[in-house]
């Protein structure tokens, strides 16, 4: 397990606390080392703000056993593990009970795409899962939570890239991305998107989602081959005066 | 009175201020020394942020007299005293006028269990008291407030453990736990729960409470013998790679 | 003009900024020296956060002329001056556009007494003024604003003590007290009260005000001869163990 | 390009972050050097909090080419460029996705003038643009966004001075002023105005805008020849005691 990845995952845990997404210990970030076949995650019940690289718990992707670390891993570890297995393209996951996103989850409503902040991250609504069945709740609950998230993405014809978070009904958001830092960014954006949508619908309860073309314009200017947001690959075409 | 307990109670008073639960001097934390038969509480009208161990006032559990301290104890002291007498299993109490929890109290509505954040702390709705009778208001008002809280827990068939806070109607929340720090945790969680429920009901006014099985799953994973959240008693089953 | 009063008024200006009541330069605090016949107030358009004693502008109570200070006084100075003249018992005034209190002012609604936080400061609703007449707006607008505030208190049979703030319709709150610090306390409490009432009415739109006895119980435990909140005149009746 | 202007624009970018208007990298500030024919703007995708003068990108007003700077300019640069060309009286522009202002934009509603905080900055409602046409979205999207903003001001008979911001429907606010700092001030005031209006309409959904005379009184006391707010040109008429 590389020192760098540990550092990045510890930083992701602290970042969600700094961003105001975490109350008490309701939140965790993880990352995955695909080659080693393990994920690294926050210990259970320990505040995100104080997580250092050596606090993280290493868990095997294949069978979930703790392979390194003296703490018990987050109770949500099976959810993370399932998602890493189902979504091979992702490298980091963030779970929180952040206020606005969780209130949509508790309301059991998907978040409609009402604006361009939303479109920068999601190509369509932010999906909400179905309620878990009783057998799922009383069985391997956290594992089943992961299964329901993956099912939600797939049954709506979405992908982990264009739907980088799902609201688990009556629970809260799980967000992901190619790296732990990218998952943090989605979690932060999602909380802002959820707040905007709540406030917008109070002002205009029948407001319809934005046009698909506007949705695509914003999503595509940040994602994919034609992206022109950010600094990647930029060569200044002008010249100093 | 042990120095340690004083330190923990002073810290609990500062913690509720840091957590944003307290405006002006609307809040107080206390703890109890069962052997000595006294409770220690914040002085009246002094900001929580500056409370040091020596500022606390010691009050006898049996008759309410001040047994140590040069300040007048919080006006809410009789409420705390009654609760320590009625609920022998508790060790700390926090009272605040925190914004979302108090707005539910002012609305006179119990908070329905709409999500798992709620279920982590309350096995059922967060109860709201009946209004105090005129005789109670004009009599030993703060003592009667405590009696109404205890009555609320009991008449709903709940216990101090599965209902670790009550909203006093038209007033605000009282929260408790086995220690002052545990009472702080409940008070912080309650404010988050109250905010989530307000926002969720604005998005879906007819949303029903979660299934009892989901409620129990979350409550039980944090409480009681089968708890598997946090670090208590954990022995890593894996091994270093 | 005593150095002490200057220091207290400068501190009051900084305190309303720290308390989050002020956006940009929408807020000001003043104090009065009754013997000298002058009020001291924040300069116009200068941020509250940086006010030092020497920045304050001294204005004559009788005719409003600037008697000391190199800055232009707040545009709201005539409002403050009228209130000091009409309410001889007050010693400090705070004006802000704080978010929740100003939204009630903009809504043109008085804030009903829905809870004990409210009752600790106001013996009845927080009053809202009538709209200013066109002649008042186009005449000595800021002076007329003060006259409407005083009229609001009087026509409702209230006093500056039991109604220590008024919402100027379509504008925002003016708060006062026996000292600049007391006015700050009222302004802070009012913002909390306004937020609680907004949230409570969203949860229960037909909620009625609390019983007059509960209102009086809380108001009287903080105010007047029978007050028993805070530390004034307290003599511990217990003894050290 | 003067060092001073670079410093002021970098500071404006940091100021909107400090003021809480910016989530992630959703925000940017620019300024213009009319003589040199260039605008200076934040680089794309870089956090506002860390912008230093040398990070800014210089773009030609006439054809949009990058004339200085090693970063790619903000994707919103064409919007800024159009606005500088259409509004020759402005010197700075701020764009953000600030929470309350953007929620009005997402709701597609103009913000009615419900109070004096609003009237201090806008002589009438805060305008919301029409939705962009599909050809505009799929063409030079950011340039067309600027055209729609300018069109919105003009078709309502407003000017860049009395309408110093427009809400782009389904997107968010663009604000401007004679300098970058003035644009920041409008952006901050707009967010406060948007919050006040949302809360006021929840309390009183049929509340009507304020009287035109009150609107003018407040606007004119801060703007134009008869302004008497702030310190400009002030000569104390009193004398030291």
């Amino acid at each position: 397990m590389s020192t760098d990845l540990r550092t990045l995952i510890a930083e992701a845990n602290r970042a969600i606390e700094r961003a105001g997404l975490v109350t008490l210990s309701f939140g965790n970030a993880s990352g995955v080392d695909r080659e080693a076949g393990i994920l690294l995650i926050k210990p259970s019940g320990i505040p995100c703000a104080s997580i250092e690289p050596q606090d993280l718990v290493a868990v095997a992707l294949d069978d979930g056993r703790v392979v390194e670390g003296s703490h018990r891993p987050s109770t949500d570890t099976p959810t993370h593990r399932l998602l890493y297995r189902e979504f091979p393209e992702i490298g980091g996951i963030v779970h929180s009970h952040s206020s606005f996103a969780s209130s949509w989850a508790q309301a059991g409503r998907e978040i409609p795409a009402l604006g361009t902040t939303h479109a920068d991250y999601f190509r369509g609504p932010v999906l909400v899962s179905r309620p878990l069945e009783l057998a799922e709740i009383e069985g391997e609950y956290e594992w089943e939570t992961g299964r329901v998230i993956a099912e939600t993405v797939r049954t709506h014809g979405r992908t982990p890239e264009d739907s980088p978070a799902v609201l688990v009904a009556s629970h809260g958001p799980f967000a992901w991305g190619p790296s732990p830092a990218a998952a943090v960014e989605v979690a932060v954006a999602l909380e802002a998107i959820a707040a905007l949508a709540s406030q917008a619908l109070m002002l205009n309860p029948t407001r319809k989602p934005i046009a698909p073309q506007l949705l695509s314009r914003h999503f595509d200017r940040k994602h994919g081959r034609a992206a022109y947001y950010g600094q990647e690959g930029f060569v200044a075409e002008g010249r100093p005066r």
Side-chain angles (χ1 to χ4, degrees), chain A:
Chain A
M1 171 63 46
S2 83
T3 305
D4 280 359
L5 185 58
R6 278 191 173 271
T7 303
L8 295 172
I9 298 167
E11 165 57 19
N13 278 284
R14 295 192 304 264
I16 56 173
E17 173 98 26
R18 279 200 312 274
L21 303 185
V22 179
T23 300
L24 297 168
S25 57
F26 303 142
N28 44 69
S30 71
V32 70
D33 181 334
R34 296 276 176 193
E35 265 185 53
I38 64 169
L39 68 91
L40 275 167
I41 194 164
K42 193 182 82 77
S44 181
I46 293 186
C48 287
S50 66
I51 297 296
E52 295 294 334
Q54 66 273 18
D55 300 327
L56 298 170
V57 187
V59 172
L61 275 187
D62 55 4
D63 62 4
R65 75 190 188 285
V66 171
V67 291
E68 195 177 348
S70 52
H71 295 293
R72 178 186 284 168
S74 166
T75 50
D76 297 311
T77 301
T79 314
H80 290 241
R81 188 162 72 89
L82 184 133
L83 292 175
Y84 285 121
R85 289 164 59 113
E86 291 288 318
F87 299 157
E89 59 271 73
I90 71 174
I93 298 173
V94 163
H95 171 51
S96 86
H97 291 193
S98 68
S99 192
F100 283 97
S102 297
S103 68
W104 283 88
Q106 289 200 357
R109 284 183 71 176
E110 66 180 28
I111 308 179
L114 297 179
T116 61
T117 318
H118 186 119
D120 282 332
Y121 289 90
F122 295 86
R123 197 196 286 280
V126 179
L127 302 172
V128 64
S129 78
R130 64 165 172 78
L132 271 73
E133 309 274 351
L134 295 193
E136 293 166 336
I137 294 168
E138 296 179 340
E140 295 296 321
Y141 169 65
E142 292 84 5
W143 180 258
E144 298 296 343
T145 297
R147 278 172 31 102
V148 166
I149 293 171
E151 171 199 313
T152 302
V153 173
R154 299 231 165 87
T155 58
H156 288 80
R158 302 281 289 277
T159 69
E161 202 210 354
D162 74 18
S163 177
V166 159
L167 306 172
V168 177
S170 308
H171 187 160
F174 281 79
W176 50 80
S179 66
V184 172
E185 182 178 338
V186 172
V188 171
L190 173 56
E191 180 64 8
I193 289 163
L196 285 174
S198 291
Q199 295 161 2
L201 290 179
M202 278 197 287
L203 293 168
N204 189 348
T206 60
R207 184 69 169 172
K208 292 284 168 286
I210 58 176
Q213 292 86 349
L214 183 58
L215 189 72
S216 291
R217 178 86 203 199
H218 270 263
F219 190 82
D220 292 338
R221 81 181 197 179
K222 289 196 71 161
H223 302 271
R225 273 175 303 163
Y228 59 100
Y229 184 98
Q231 298 300 332
E232 217 168 316
F234 173 71
V235 180
E237 288 172 42
R239 66 218 131 61
R241 303 170 74 222

